[in-house]
Amino acid sequence: SDYEQLGYNLRSNLFQGGPLKSRSLMRDSYTPDIIQKAIRDPNYWHGRRIYELGKWYEKYFLDLKVQKAMKDKYG
């Protein structure tokens, strides 16, 4: 049965799990001194400031509301 097959696979260690040491593209691409010099600023996110993202989302949701209102009014 499926249950016995699963038990056999677990006993024979076919499902070995994830790697013991995780790797990242940043650590593989850059030298350790670049990683140590990196500054993590919570107000600066991937080249954009948080308030810029907030403004973008505000405009995006306003646009969605306008589209919905137009669809309800004109079909």
Side-chain angles (χ1 to χ4, degrees):
S1 73
D2 292 338
Y3 184 76
E4 291 174 1
Q5 186 68 28
L6 178 64
Y8 172 76
N9 289 334
L10 288 171
R11 285 191 305 277
S12 60
N13 201 15
L14 290 178
F15 306 124
Q16 298 177 8
L20 296 177
K21 183 178 179 185
S22 63
R23 298 178 55 155
S24 72
L25 183 62
M26 183 177 176
R27 290 189 190 267
D28 291 343
S29 301
Y30 298 104
T31 57
D33 60 325
I34 297 293
I35 296 171
Q36 290 171 356
K37 286 189 227 174
I39 299 171
R40 290 181 178 84
D41 186 7
N43 293 327
Y44 199 70
W45 182 76
H46 289 288
R48 297 180 183 211
R49 296 201 178 276
I50 294 297
Y51 63 87
E52 290 174 359
L53 287 174
K55 288 180 183 178
W56 184 88
Y57 274 107
E58 186 178 353
K59 290 179 184 177
Y60 174 70
F61 286 115
L62 182 63
D63 183 53
L64 287 178
K65 287 181 182 179
V66 169
Q67 285 181 6
K68 184 178 178 186
M70 294 285 282
K71 185 178 179 183
D72 291 343
K73 186 171 184 178
Y74 297 111

